[in-house]
Structures are given as C-alpha cells and as structure tokens.
C-alpha cells in the first residue's frame, strides 16, 4: 500500500466516522469557547468573608475597614468563634475567614512584638482564594509600613527619617504577561494546547479501536517493514493536515477572539506547531497499539487530561511536582508544547529563545515515529 492510498483511506475513515469527526472538529473548536464562557469574568468581586476579631481593638477595626474597601471582598459576617465561622465556610455562605487573636493590639504596641493574622480561604475555586488573599496582602503591606514608621518614631527617629527608611526600596507592581491578572488569561493558552493534544489523541485511539473491532477474528499477515512505515506515514499525513488547519484557528485566531495576551509572532507559533502536532500523532499511534475497542480511548481521555495539565507545571508549580512525575512529563508532547506556546504567544519570546521546547518536540517526534513502527510490526507479528 502506498503512502497516498493510506492517506486517502485515513481521511475517508475520519469523515465517515461521525464520532471521530465530532471529536476532531466540533470538540476542538467548541471546547475553547466553553472554557472562555466559564472564565468570562476573570475577576471575582464582593467575595463574602467572615471575621473573627477577638482583639476588638482600633488596630484590627482599622485593618478591616481598609480591607472592606477593596472591591474584591465583602465582610458579611462577624463571628464570636472560629467554630461559628467554620460552619459558615462549610455551608458556602462565606468563602474566607480572617482571624485576629486577642493579643493582636498588644503585640503591635510592643517594639519587639510580632502580631499575627490568620487567613483561611475556600480552595474549591482558585478565584476565591486569589481575590481574598491578594486584597488582604495589599492591605497588610500598607499596614506594615505604618507600623514600621510608628516603631521607628518610638525609637527616637524623626518622622522624615522614619519615612526615608520605610521608602528606601519602593517598588511598583506590574503584571507582565496577564495585564488583567485574570485566571482565564493565564489558563486558556495552556488549555488550547491541551485540547489539541487530547482530541487528536482520543480520535486516533477511537479509529484504532474501530479498526480492531472490524478485524476481530480475521488473520492478518505481517507486512514488510517498509509497508508498515508507509502506512504509518500515510496516516500521519492525514492527521497532520487536518489538525494543522485546526491549530491555525485555535492558536492563531482564538487568542485574538478571546482578547487574551498574544504578543508573540504568529509565524513562530505556526512553525512551533509543526513538531507539536507530529509528536502527538506518533505518541497517539504508540498508545493506540494497546487499544482493543472503540470505548477504551474515552477512558484514556478522561483519566489523562487533568494529569497532563498538572504534570506540565502550568496550573501547578513545577517545583511541587515529585521528581518521578516531572521526569515522566518530559515524554508527553503537551508538556513541551504548552510551555513553548505560552513563551511565544503570551510572553513574546522568539522561536530561537524557545529552542529547548522546539527541539524536544522534534526528538519526541522521531522517537515516537520509530516506536509506532516497531509497535505496529510487533502487533501484526503476534497476530499471525
């Protein structure tokens, strides 16, 4: 069988199979829209918070007054104990608790004292945590500056000298790659690459499972190695042409449609996408050798999507991932593809400065191509 005949046969199989067509085209284009709707409001405001103020001091009331002025949170409940506040949190009536101990004011008055504030956040959504934590942190930094000035003055320094010491290292906070500070702008570029990876992965596994079902009980002769290579390449070309067109829409048009950061070169993105799609294709072909029926691909899709997202170190700090999982992630095309796309698209890096991810994808492409051929040869040999 020639490469061309395999290419035509694979295209026909894709478009004659409604399930695969839906996964390849409809799901690839619809899922990003769904994620954008979910994170349409990237900033949450007026998050309800409970207060447990055992200090009942002017200092704690001043802190709460400033914090309540922030648009992100709203102090809705004043509680007498942590047990009462915890019950509100469990019932989702509030999404955070701030706790002032009894010695809060006395510790502030002591030049050597250290006052503590405890903040508890609802981690069912990162957006709640972000709104509560960042707004509290901003008020705390301002309060710490005033406390430092008061303590310097108690030590006998003049007001000007105290201000000079506090303002010795001023800073300006600038959001470099997500100007809105929104979670959607941060997450959606990584999700776009994951959608490309998983829909292509699932579609190839579905087609492989369908072919196995159709050939169940039929003896297959093991063809020559050259014929297997032609078959693998013919399949790969069909998948690549279809998905490269989809990638142009997802990676070139959707970031502009969603108005998420897209400061990189579109041509660098298109060049970078070539080894990314090829590595996914051959990776999926290797895994599909172990697929025995059409439904098995769905199990793999559901069980690996979140794992791939976390292992890549995008939504979870890479430093917090165990070494074994981090090393395993290097063999998954999505890990390199997500980091490379974010570097180019969101951070404005060039292809030259993203060469580590770019060459890693080409290495995976070559490695998985060889494995795909060998696995197909071994499968057909065992079925003789």
């Amino acid at each position: 069988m020639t490469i061309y005949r395999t290419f035509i046969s694979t295209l026909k199989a894709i478009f004659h199979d409604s399930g695969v067509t839906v996964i390849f085209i409809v799901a690839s284009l619809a899922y990003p829209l769904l994620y954008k709707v979910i994170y349409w409001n990237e900033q949450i405001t007026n998050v309800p918070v409970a207060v447990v103020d055992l200090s009942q001091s002017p200092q704690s009331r001043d802190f709460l007054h400033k914090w309540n002025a922030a648009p992100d949170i709203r102090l809705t409940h004043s509680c007498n104990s942590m047990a009462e506040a915890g019950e509100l949190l469990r019932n989702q009536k509030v999404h955070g608790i701030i706790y002032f101990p009894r010695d809060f004011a006395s510790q502030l008055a002591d030049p050597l004292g250290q006052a503590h504030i405890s903040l508890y956040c609802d981690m069912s959504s990162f957006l709640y945590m972000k709104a509560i934590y960042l707004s509290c942190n901003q008020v705390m930094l301002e309060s710490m500056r005033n406390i430092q000035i008061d303590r310097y003055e108690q030590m006998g320094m003049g007001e000007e000298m105290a201000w000079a010491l506090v303002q010795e290292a001023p800073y300006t906070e600038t959001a470099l790659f997500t100007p809105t500070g929104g979670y959607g702008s941060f997450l959606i570029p990584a999700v776009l690459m994951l959608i490309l990876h998983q829909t292509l992965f699932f579609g190839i596994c579905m087609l492989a499972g369908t072919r196995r079902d159709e050939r169940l009980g039929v003896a297959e002769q093991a063809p020559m190695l050259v014929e297997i290579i032609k078959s693998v390449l013919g399949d790969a070309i069909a998948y690549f042409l279809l998905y490269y067109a989809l990638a142009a829409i997802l990676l070139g048009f959707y970031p502009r449609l969603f108005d998420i950061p897209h400061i990189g070169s579109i041509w660098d993105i298109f060049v970078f996408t070539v080894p990314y799609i090829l590595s996914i294709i051959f990776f999926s072909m290797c895994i599909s050798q172990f697929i025995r029926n059409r439904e098995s691909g769905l199990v793999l899709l559901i069980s690996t999507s979140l794992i791939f997202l976390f292992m890549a170190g995008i939504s979870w700090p890479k430093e917090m991932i165990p070494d074994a999982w981090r090393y395993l992630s290097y063999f998954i095309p999505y890990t390199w593809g997500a980091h490379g796309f974010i570097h180019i698209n969101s951070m404005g890096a060039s292809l030259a400065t993203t060469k580590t991810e770019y060459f890693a994808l080409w290495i995976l492409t070559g490695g998985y191509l060889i494995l795909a051929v060998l696995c197909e040869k071994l499968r057909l040999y065992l079925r003789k």
Side-chain angles (χ1 to χ4, degrees), residues 57-366:
S57 61
Q59 291 87 345
S60 62
R61 286 192 291 270
D62 180 64
F63 186 98
L64 293 173
H65 176 73
K66 292 177 180 177
W67 194 31
N68 198 35
D72 296 340
I73 63 102
R74 181 166 47 94
L75 304 180
T76 58
H77 295 77
S78 180
C79 304
N80 296 320
S81 66
M82 280 297 298
E84 182 183 349
E87 187 66 23
L88 292 172
L89 186 63
R90 283 189 291 273
N91 293 331
Q92 294 288 292
K93 293 182 179 179
V94 298
H95 296 292
I97 303 171
I98 186 167
Y99 172 80
F100 293 88
R102 296 184 186 278
D103 64 349
F104 178 72
S106 60
Q107 288 294 332
L108 289 181
D110 185 355
L112 300 179
Q114 188 174 16
H116 294 275
I117 298 174
S118 299
L119 185 67
Y120 303 86
C121 298
D122 179 2
M123 291 300 292
S124 62
S125 170
F126 285 122
L127 296 180
Y128 294 141
M129 185 274 293
K130 174 179 175 289
I132 296 171
Y133 178 78
L134 290 184
S135 59
C136 183
N137 191 53
Q138 291 171 354
V139 175
M140 184 177 64
L141 289 175
E142 181 182 351
S143 299
M144 286 175 59
R145 182 186 62 185
N146 296 331
I147 292 168
Q148 284 181 308
I149 292 173
D150 291 340
R151 289 185 173 181
Y152 285 146
E153 290 179 349
Q154 291 176 14
M155 295 168 60
M157 295 183 184
E159 183 178 355
E160 292 185 2
M161 181 177 291
W163 270 97
L165 288 173
V166 173
Q167 297 292 332
E168 186 174 358
Y171 74 96
T172 301
E173 183 178 349
T174 303
L176 291 176
F177 307 118
T178 54
T180 62
Y183 193 67
S185 297
F186 158 75
L187 185 65
I188 287 180
V191 169
L192 291 176
M193 297 298 277
L194 182 64
I195 289 171
L196 278 176
H197 190 287
Q198 292 300 84
T199 53
L200 180 53
F201 172 63
F202 182 33
I204 291 176
C205 289
M206 281 184 67
L207 279 178
T210 301
R211 289 170 177 172
R212 306 278 156 71
D213 285 340
E214 292 174 349
R215 297 170 185 172
L216 190 63
V218 178
E220 294 182 73
Q221 292 186 349
M224 299 291 291
L225 184 62
V226 174
E227 294 299 317
I228 295 176
I229 294 174
K230 290 180 179 179
S231 175
V232 169
L233 291 178
D235 287 342
I237 293 172
Y239 297 136
F240 177 80
L241 291 179
L242 175 60
Y243 253 76
Y244 196 74
L246 291 171
I249 299 173
L250 261 67
L251 306 183
F253 174 66
Y254 273 23
R256 288 153 178 80
L257 176 65
F258 297 158
D259 197 26
I260 60 177
H262 52 275
I263 59 177
S265 168
I266 189 66
W267 303 113
D268 284 347
I269 292 173
F270 287 164
V271 173
F272 181 82
T273 305
V274 172
Y276 180 60
I277 294 177
L278 288 174
S279 61
I280 299 171
I281 291 171
F282 295 126
F283 168 79
S284 302
M285 285 182 175
C286 292
I287 302 299
S288 69
Q289 299 299 326
F290 304 96
I291 299 298
R292 290 293 171 263
N293 53 65
R294 188 179 178 87
E295 294 76 21
S296 300
L298 180 60
V299 177
L300 287 174
L301 175 73
I302 295 174
S303 62
T304 58
S305 294
L306 281 178
I307 294 176
F308 288 173
L309 182 64
F310 277 90
M311 285 173 57
I314 302 297
S315 62
W316 190 258
K318 185 178 292 187
E319 293 75 16
M320 300 293 292
I321 301 175
D323 290 341
W325 287 102
R326 190 169 69 252
Y327 295 144
L328 179 61
S329 72
Y330 297 156
F331 295 93
I332 300 171
Y334 171 71
T335 300
W336 302 103
H339 282 281
F341 176 65
I342 290 173
H343 290 167
I344 297 174
N345 179 77
S346 304
M347 300 181 178
S350 65
L351 192 63
T353 55
T354 320
K355 60 183 179 181
T356 300
E357 292 82 0
Y358 184 66
F359 289 132
L361 288 173
W362 277 118
I363 292 172
L364 289 180
T365 298

